Amino acid sequence: MRGRSASCLVGAMVVGRASFVVPTARRSLQGTRGASLVEYLMLVGLVAIPAMAGVRWLGQRVEAKARAQAACIESFDCAAAAGPRADDPASGKREALVAALLAAQRADGLPADRAAAEAIADALLAGDTSDAARARIAAYFGPLGVNGSQAAMQGIRDAGLLDTFLDTTLRDAQGKPVDARVRAAVEQMMETGRLDVYAETLATTPVTVYDPKDPTFAYANGNHHFTGGNGGSVPRGVYFNQEALANTFGAAAPGTPEYDAAVSSLSATMAHEVFHAYNDAHGGPNGAVNEGMGIAAIQYAYTDGEYDIAEMIYGTKNFYRDKLGDPKYPLTAGTGDAELTAFLAQLASRDSSDVAYGDQATLDAEYQAYWAGLDRNDPNWAALAEKATRDMLAAREARKPKP
């Protein structure tokens, strides 16, 4: 659900070191005997061993420096040319992460900000989960688009730092760590790599479990939902009904198949609700298009085949009309800002209906022609929706100019 006036109805439509001891040089009582040939050979050997090691070490340093300088010339990023310190095993991991974060900025045509990338890499590697670290992550991901977000999050996953990223970004409305079940669902969602554009939303939007008996949440009708705040008593955020969560998880213990199944179910809902928060932050549409594209986000994240976004959008419109008695539920087209536009295009890349979610006139006309007459309460809704989509596509084909 988005805002205070609508219920979110996900699923309504589509489902040791080695050492040696060197004997001390023996001295005669008079201290005048010279070293024997054997002792000279031992002495020469003991000097030669560290000398050869030093030559090898110097050669390795020169080679590493040469590689770093070559990378500098290729990438125009010479701040990394000094290379990792030989005595710091973590520095290689740090530089790899910094490089990924810089590449992510370039992927979206942004100037590479090494200071910002290093600050985030250092915070994650140090396990810094402070509010200041969260704010830095939000500021870094804010300007990134679809490609940059994916590249940055892949770098974080490759570094094995997804857990730390989530510990740093996730907060509830009181600024505390999120519910463990919710966190597990977010982790599963972000492991897919398909909704990485949500990273900025996780760093800026609280995710809270609420009591549906609390009268301040009466508008939610007990549903999981997103609210933009709008100056009301409930802060902007994504909210999950604690009673619904209890029913979903039951007595299942972490690590059991039942618990894992519940996490998967919640992760699908998470993909939907966080979409609403992301859509809201980027000027996206309200109503059925918002809900329908949120359902598409679930399919995009967790499936590989095509899906019917027309059914998701128009089915939502009819759901509110036929099941909830709201005939004025809006069918508002829109694509939001450039970042949201690109993400919606990704969601629509597997849309078998090619629905005109950004064109109000076409959206309205096709709804009236093929969907307005369908009853969402009909038990044969799936078949009716499939036929409506076929008829809509056939009509479009018939309108194309003949060669």
Side-chain angles (χ1 to χ4, degrees):
M1 173 192 126
R2 182 180 183 278
R4 293 173 170 270
S5 62
S7 298
C8 186
L9 302 155
V10 179
M13 282 67 74
V14 179
V15 193
R17 291 182 302 172
S19 62
F20 57 88
V21 176
V22 181
T24 56
R26 292 177 300 162
R27 297 181 181 178
S28 65
L29 293 175
Q30 295 79 17
T32 59
R33 183 175 69 82
S36 69
L37 177 61
V38 173
E39 289 172 324
Y40 271 122
L41 292 175
M42 289 178 63
L43 180 61
V44 169
L46 292 174
V47 171
I49 290 171
M52 288 187 292
V55 169
R56 286 196 297 270
W57 174 83
L58 181 59
Q60 290 167 354
R61 295 281 289 180
V62 170
E63 182 182 359
K65 183 73 173 179
R67 286 197 302 266
Q69 291 292 348
C72 158
I73 293 169
E74 180 179 356
S75 66
F76 300 102
D77 180 17
C78 296
R85 287 171 47 195
D87 60 345
D88 184 2
S91 63
K93 185 175 185 178
R94 176 184 186 272
E95 283 304 317
L97 179 54
V98 169
L101 296 174
L102 292 172
Q105 292 176 318
R106 297 188 188 101
D108 282 333
L110 300 172
D113 186 342
R114 172 163 279 272
E118 287 182 337
I120 291 173
D122 289 341
L124 293 176
L125 287 166
D128 182 359
T129 60
S130 66
D131 288 342
R134 184 176 189 247
R136 283 194 292 271
I137 290 174
Y140 169 84
F141 276 96
L144 294 183
V146 175
N147 296 327
S149 296
Q150 201 282 327
M153 285 307 303
Q154 191 58 52
I156 290 170
R157 284 189 293 267
D158 288 345
L161 293 170
L162 179 58
D163 279 343
T164 305
F165 173 85
L166 296 178
D167 289 341
T168 304
T169 56
L170 294 177
R171 300 282 193 280
D172 68 9
Q174 285 73 48
K176 299 177 181 179
V178 300
D179 181 277
R181 299 163 296 182
V182 169
R183 189 196 181 286
V186 177
E187 182 173 3
Q188 187 171 111
M189 177 181 76
M190 297 305 287
E191 283 174 343
T192 69
R194 296 181 177 180
L195 298 178
D196 287 337
V197 75
Y198 288 177
E200 66 166 274
T201 306
L202 299 180
T204 57
T205 306
V207 183
T208 307
V209 175
Y210 77 97
D211 181 356
K213 296 184 178 66
D214 185 334
T216 58
F217 290 94
Y219 66 88
N221 297 316
N223 290 302
H224 305 316
H225 64 286
F226 163 77
T227 179
N230 302 322
S233 58
V234 179
R236 181 181 188 275
V238 174
Y239 292 86
F240 289 90
N241 179 341
Q242 66 181 19
E243 292 182 355
L245 286 181
N247 290 333
T248 299
F249 282 82
T256 63
E258 293 79 11
Y259 188 90
D260 292 344
V263 168
S264 293
S265 175
L266 185 58
S267 68
T269 305
M270 183 66 68
H272 181 86
E273 298 301 343
V274 177
F275 172 81
H276 291 327
Y278 177 78
N279 177 79
D280 178 74
H282 291 274
N286 294 322
V289 172
N290 181 17
E291 289 291 334
M293 298 305 283
I295 298 170
I298 301 172
Q299 298 297 313
Y300 180 77
Y302 302 112
T303 68
D304 293 322
E306 291 187 337
Y307 40 81
D308 185 347
I309 298 183
E311 188 276 338
M312 297 170 185
I313 293 175
Y314 297 137
T316 296
K317 168 72 172 171
N318 286 7
F319 189 95
Y320 278 82
R321 183 195 67 189
D322 303 334
K323 290 182 176 291
L324 301 181
D326 184 5
K328 295 184 178 180
Y329 188 71
L331 184 64
T332 307
T335 58
D337 64 14
E339 183 178 328
L340 179 60
T341 297
F343 182 53
L344 293 180
Q346 274 199 341
L347 297 183
S349 65
R350 289 195 264 138
D351 176 21
S352 60
S353 71
D354 195 24
V355 69
Y357 59 87
D359 182 335
Q360 191 68 57
T362 302
L363 197 70
D364 289 338
E366 292 191 333
Y367 173 72
Q368 290 298 327
Y370 307 103
W371 299 86
L374 304 184
D375 186 351
R376 191 61 185 81
N377 291 305
D378 193 310
N380 296 316
W381 169 258
L384 294 173
E386 184 177 351
K387 181 179 184 303
T389 298
R390 287 198 309 268
D391 291 346
M392 184 175 67
L393 291 172
R396 288 187 201 155
E397 188 66 26
R399 289 194 299 267
K400 287 182 179 179
K402 301 302 178 183

